[in-house]
Amino acid sequence: MMRLSNLVLCMLLAIGSLTVSARVLGAERLKLLIVDGQNNHEWQVTTPIMQRYFQESGRFEVEVATSPPARHDMSKFRPKFSDYDVVVSNYNGEPWSQAAQVDFQAYVFNGGGFVVVHAANNAFADWPEYNQMIGLGGWNSRDEKSGPYVYFREGAIVRDETAGRGGSHGSQHEFLVTLRNGDHPITSGLPPSWLHTKDELYDRLRGPAKSMEVLATAYADPEQRGSGRDEPMLMVLDYGSGRVFHTTLGHADYSMQCVGFITTLLRGAEWAATGEVTIPVPDDFPTAEKSSARQ
Ligand code: ZN
């Protein structure tokens, strides 16, 4: 009898360690929710693109929560965030109900993963906790009351309290994205800089920028009507025990097709969900000289 229970115990331990190995190896699919429904960008085009990239990676099981259109009743839009390992926002629209806001804050604070994509950082200028999560945002009356401008100068981060509006961009173009920390799980193994496909280069963002690390910047060239600063492009933040990955990239389909965007999006979402990254850097990753896009 004793020997039998030992055998059972051994089997249970073996099954347990297999489960752990599967998780470590990234074989377990993470539950990911994309939120959309209102955006001054073509979310009907970009959500399916991101959904496909997430699914093709084999690492995520994706669902989408689409809000009612603008000027419709938002009171029943209340996704069950806590069912997911990571939530990706492709939403830039009207305020959510108080209940949905409280749910979302609790979800991230208690350890949920959150990924902010491009214009999702324009959303909810009047929701303080959301701005804590995203660190920096733009437009919708953001100004010095929202927090400092954050950028890099001579290799060091600057928090600039100068008064002025938050959020602008010059003309769309290909630009270099430069790592500021290549040792983070999301950026480990990436080249020090790479040429990103045509996109809006967000500049002059402002926000509380607390518990935030800038992983990569891009130079907003005045010749392209940019700020003349090295602007944050990829950021990570802590909110309670939750992890946030913020990419300012991804204006349109052609911006999201950049292998640099895809790779950092997938790895950022995996990191936000688990704190680790198993998704490899692909062979077709762009170089500093040549951008690289996928359909
Ligand atoms: Zn845009």
Side-chain angles (χ1 to χ4, degrees):
M1 193 62 199
M2 187 65 190
R3 288 172 69 177
L4 184 61
S5 13
N6 275 347
L7 182 64
V8 170
L9 184 63
C10 283
M11 284 170 68
L12 285 173
L13 282 173
I15 291 165
S17 64
L18 276 176
T19 311
V20 170
S21 311
R23 194 172 293 135
V24 169
L25 290 170
E28 186 179 291
R29 284 180 188 242
L30 300 166
K31 292 197 69 174
L32 182 149
L33 179 72
I34 301 177
V35 181
D36 65 11
Q38 295 182 30
N39 203 319
N40 60 330
H41 293 63
E42 289 189 80
W43 60 269
Q44 298 93 333
V45 172
T46 55
T47 288
I49 290 174
M50 288 193 281
Q51 183 170 12
R52 185 161 57 80
Y53 293 145
F54 282 125
Q55 278 163 345
E56 284 175 357
S57 76
R59 187 69 173 110
F60 303 96
E61 187 182 302
V62 185
E63 289 176 39
V64 179
T66 300
S67 77
R71 295 174 296 283
H72 284 67
D73 178 15
M74 288 289 282
S75 65
K76 293 191 180 56
F77 180 66
R78 196 173 172 186
K80 200 146 184 298
F81 301 111
S82 56
D83 282 352
Y84 299 89
D85 298 304
V86 55
V87 172
V88 177
S89 179
N90 195 21
Y91 183 92
N92 176 20
E94 292 177 357
W96 295 346
S97 68
Q98 193 68 30
Q101 292 186 18
V102 168
D103 287 350
F104 188 64
Q105 283 170 209
Y107 158 76
V108 182
F109 193 82
N110 293 323
F114 179 39
V115 176
V116 190
V117 178
H118 193 63
N121 75 18
N122 301 185
F124 307 138
D126 298 324
W127 179 3
E129 296 302 312
Y130 183 79
N131 287 281
Q132 292 282 345
M133 292 179 209
I134 67 174
L136 293 170
W139 295 274
N140 294 312
S141 307
R142 282 179 172 86
D143 60 16
E144 59 277 12
K145 291 189 286 299
S146 314
Y149 295 114
V150 175
Y151 48 88
F152 271 66
R153 189 166 55 209
E154 293 168 1
I157 196 161
V158 176
R159 296 170 65 95
D160 181 347
E161 308 278 352
T162 310
R165 60 169 291 190
S168 54
H169 60 77
S171 47
Q172 294 182 40
H173 61 292
E174 288 199 339
F175 52 84
L176 264 189
V177 175
T178 300
L179 290 185
R180 298 291 170 172
N181 178 0
D183 294 326
H184 191 276
I186 297 171
T187 52
S188 174
L190 300 185
S193 62
W194 69 88
L195 194 57
H196 177 49
T197 59
K198 190 168 84 166
D199 205 337
E200 282 172 349
L201 196 167
Y202 273 5
D203 60 25
R204 301 186 179 92
L205 299 177
R206 319 192 65 132
K210 293 195 180 122
S211 303
M212 181 180 93
E213 186 188 6
V214 178
L215 297 182
T217 59
Y219 178 64
D221 193 337
E223 286 194 9
Q224 301 282 357
R225 297 187 290 112
S227 63
R229 299 168 178 166
D230 287 306
E231 298 279 357
M233 295 289 111
L234 306 178
M235 291 154 267
V236 286
L237 300 100
D238 294 326
Y239 179 80
S241 46
R243 284 175 294 269
V244 181
F245 172 66
H246 181 167
T247 177
T248 65
L249 307 173
H251 170 72
D253 49 359
Y254 46 80
S255 320
M256 290 190 172
Q257 287 164 356
C258 169
V259 178
F261 174 84
I262 299 168
T263 305
T264 50
L265 177 72
L266 299 178
R267 290 167 65 114
E270 186 184 27
W271 175 81
T274 68
E276 294 170 6
V277 172
T278 63
I279 296 168
V281 180
D283 292 339
D284 58 345
F285 198 88
T287 65
E289 289 76 36
K290 197 169 182 308
S291 60
S292 170
R294 270 188 220 156
Q295 291 306 307

